[in-house]
Amino acid sequence: MIVYTGTNIDIPVVHKKDPIGMSGAIVKKIMADYLGRGHILYTDNWYTSPALCQFLHDNKTGSCGTVRANRKFMPKFNGNKTRVENPSSSDTPDSEEEARPHHERSRKRCKTELFIQNITMLNAYNLWLVKKNIDPSKKPKLREFVCNVAYQLLEDFGEPTTNIKGRRPNPMPDRIIDAYSRHYPVHTEMANGKKKPRDCYVCKHTTRRQKKRTRVVIICNECNIGLCIVGCFRDYHTLKNF
């Protein structure tokens, strides 16, 4: 994979007259270590082109993918089947793969999808560490990062299921369930004529932004913890992972 972080990505400069184009140059860079081994490369219509297919065919690599009919050097389509001379090795089925039982092929595809997901999460984790400039000695583990991402996705897009039989366990903590019935902000106790400050619990334990120490004089009457009245009080009583 090549993670896109801006226009200065290490992609070879393509000459304007080179028919392979920028998309083909990206394929050539990623496939550099895999050419000549009889693999088949599947591409979408932004990458697929006759020039790229010819390059892959010359390097003993099959090519298969969707195409754009108006792509340069593309054979004319008349609405019916179009026969392309000198097809690449993708026209020959992989007999060893086809001979495998369906459940084995499905298991292999599942492993590939999980591998891609793991690589994606690792890239996101590394980019997050760089963006937040977190001290290496205090950085959370990758496992914790993945769990937080999963929780945030569920909070934003998840929907409760309704096909569970029996009594449904309540996964939400009490601070969220009864947030609007028993939890409300009050001032801290007085000490020497002044309100005694406390640390904001969310600012100190948050997983969504840089942790910091914030002194406040507002607490939750039920939870008995310090919270910033703007933002933190709401997040603590509405988000499972703040």
Side-chain angles (χ1 to χ4, degrees):
M1 292 186 178
I2 298 179
V3 180
Y4 181 77
T5 58
T7 56
N8 59 342
I9 296 298
D10 185 19
I11 297 295
V13 178
V14 182
H15 194 273
K16 291 184 178 180
K17 295 184 179 180
D18 189 346
I20 202 166
M22 176 60 73
S23 60
I26 294 174
V27 174
K28 288 176 65 176
K29 179 175 179 61
I30 295 180
M31 290 291 294
D33 297 332
Y34 304 99
L35 298 174
R37 300 184 182 183
H39 292 302
I40 300 176
L41 177 67
Y42 292 84
T43 55
D44 65 16
N45 59 21
W46 191 77
Y47 295 96
T48 310
S49 70
L52 177 62
C53 292
Q54 187 62 53
F55 167 79
L56 294 172
H57 180 71
D58 294 342
N59 286 273
K60 299 181 181 179
T61 302
S63 177
C64 180
T66 54
V67 299
R68 297 180 182 179
N70 59 351
R71 195 74 179 250
K72 195 173 183 180
F73 307 116
M74 187 67 67
K76 299 297 181 182
F77 291 88
N78 56 10
N80 300 319
K81 294 181 179 180
T82 300
R83 183 175 181 83
V84 181
E85 298 299 329
N86 190 24
S88 70
S89 60
S90 62
D91 291 335
T92 303
D94 188 344
S95 58
E96 181 180 352
E97 180 69 17
E98 292 296 331
R100 293 181 178 179
H102 174 72
H103 68 277
E104 290 188 7
R105 283 180 278 146
S106 299
R107 188 182 306 150
K108 183 178 180 180
R109 285 195 297 269
C110 182
K111 288 183 178 180
T112 302
E113 293 172 0
L114 291 176
F115 173 75
I116 294 176
Q117 291 177 13
N118 290 336
I119 292 295
T120 303
M121 292 306 303
L122 179 60
N123 287 336
Y125 173 69
N126 290 330
L127 289 174
W128 180 76
L129 291 177
V130 173
K131 182 178 179 181
K132 296 295 185 180
N133 194 23
I134 297 177
D135 185 352
S137 63
K138 299 181 180 179
K139 68 179 183 180
K141 295 181 180 179
L142 174 60
R143 185 189 315 141
E144 298 174 358
F145 175 82
V146 173
C147 288
N148 286 330
V149 170
Y151 278 123
Q152 292 177 28
L153 289 174
L154 289 173
E155 288 174 351
D156 294 339
F157 306 104
E159 295 181 0
T161 58
T162 58
N163 58 351
I164 300 178
K165 296 181 179 180
R167 184 176 180 181
R168 186 195 304 271
N170 199 333
M172 291 297 180
D174 177 74
R175 60 183 169 84
I176 296 178
I177 300 171
D178 298 322
Y180 299 104
S181 61
R182 296 186 292 109
H183 298 255
Y184 52 89
V186 296
H187 286 291
T188 57
E189 63 273 13
M190 301 291 290
N192 298 325
K194 295 182 179 180
K195 297 180 179 69
K196 188 176 180 180
R198 292 195 192 182
D199 291 339
C200 174
Y201 187 85
V202 172
C203 290
K204 191 174 182 180
H205 298 88
T206 181
T207 59
R208 294 195 169 197
R209 57 182 183 269
Q210 188 71 34
K211 296 179 180 179
K212 61 181 180 179
R213 186 185 183 191
T214 306
R215 303 290 280 175
V216 296
V217 294
I218 296 295
I219 63 173
C220 173
N221 72 303
E222 188 73 22
C223 305
N224 194 28
I225 58 172
L227 294 167
C228 297
I229 190 63
V230 178
C232 294
F233 193 93
R234 177 201 60 206
D235 291 347
Y236 184 77
H237 293 97
T238 57
L239 302 176
K240 186 174 182 179
N241 295 278
F242 49 80

